[in-house]
Amino acid sequence: MSSQARPTFVLVHGAFANSFSFAPLQAELGLLGHRSVAVDLPGHGFGATYTHAYQAPQDPEGLATAPGSIKGVTLADNAAHLIGILERAKRNGPVILLAHSRGGITATAAANARPDLIDRIVYVSAWCPVALDVNDYYAEPEMATVDAASLGLAMAGNPAELGLLRVNFRTADPAALAAFRAAFLADGTDEEFLTFLNTFQPDENLDVGTSADRAQAATWGRVPKTFVRLADDASMPLAMQDRLIREGNELTPDNPYDVRTLGGSHLKWLVDPAPAARVLGELAESH
């Protein structure tokens, strides 16, 4: 296959994350001969807000009140930003759009709007709402094992007043750190966990969309799709991953998910990216 015909992977991060966490995966993809682009959604990466109150010694009162650049960013803003990147990537050939976790909401919205720009969409334990809005899934039985209050242990400020979600990932509170590790990287070392935690940014936007942003059969449903299940994910349990797969297949029975499974937690596939890169390489060869 010529380099011109190879797909470009466009990688979309999850909540409180950014393009930086994809660097090891991009290295593996590059060594396999694949090009990739890691996206920073609006208010993420170098567009994020890190206040002096977040630095040591921390100023809790300042952290709780300092304004953040992500305030007011909507799902529509995220989708428009991603679509602009997809348009540029598409000029070079096929595009495989990959989303992780909360990034699936943005990827789904982009596929609803511009399926022509996406040759395959890959959800890695990512949200693709079909029957319910994203927040409503958290009340469902499949999410019963998820400790939704774990982020609250390190919450800074009032989201309604700040206009954003702010979490103090630089906390030294043992209970908060234990909750984060259990949710994100229980199968990693202490060093891996703390390293990844320090790539997180404190602020995330509030808008996760409405019923209008659920997967649409007429547009999203035309795009070939893969769901990569993470077998030991505590943030999105396998039961919920399988429910999203089932709902997507019911919406588009003639275009079901290609389902793959990787071992590990919500973040292990990014800490140890070689297995994921091999799966993605197989998908690229099919295009």
Side-chain angles (χ1 to χ4, degrees), residues 148-168:
S150 61
L151 287 179
L153 294 173
M155 187 75 75
N158 184 330
E161 295 174 2
L162 287 172
L164 50 83
L165 293 171
R166 177 167 291 159
V167 175
N168 182 9

Side-chain angles (χ1 to χ4, degrees), residues 209-239:
T210 68
S211 57
D213 300 300
R214 300 177 193 173
Q216 304 295 315
T219 48
W220 172 91
R222 303 206 310 262
V223 181
K225 52 189 185 288
T226 295
F227 200 106
V228 180
R229 302 159 77 246
L230 299 181
D232 306 303
D233 194 336
S235 293
M236 184 187 286
L238 267 183

Side-chain angles (χ1 to χ4, degrees), residues 123-137:
Y123 293 89
V124 181
S125 193
W127 287 106
C128 180
V130 176
L132 300 172
D133 295 349
V134 169
N135 286 338
D136 293 334
Y137 280 108

Side-chain angles (χ1 to χ4, degrees), residues 41-127:
L41 295 176
H44 291 262
F46 287 110
T49 297
Y50 286 84
T51 70
H52 286 287
Y54 194 52
Q55 299 299 117
Q58 289 193 317
D59 171 12
E61 291 184 7
L63 184 61
T65 57
S69 63
I70 209 167
K71 178 181 179 180
V73 170
T74 65
L75 175 57
D77 295 329
N78 285 343
H81 179 75
L82 176 55
I83 287 169
I85 292 171
L86 293 172
E87 288 175 336
R88 294 177 64 188
K90 187 67 172 173
R91 297 171 194 162
N92 300 314
V95 171
I96 297 177
L97 173 60
L98 178 150
H100 179 226
S101 194
R102 196 180 197 251
I105 307 169
T106 297
T108 300
N112 282 339
R114 293 295 306 274
D116 56 300
L117 298 175
I118 307 165
D119 292 272
R120 178 171 292 275
I121 189 166
V122 180
Y123 293 89
V124 181
S125 193
W127 287 106

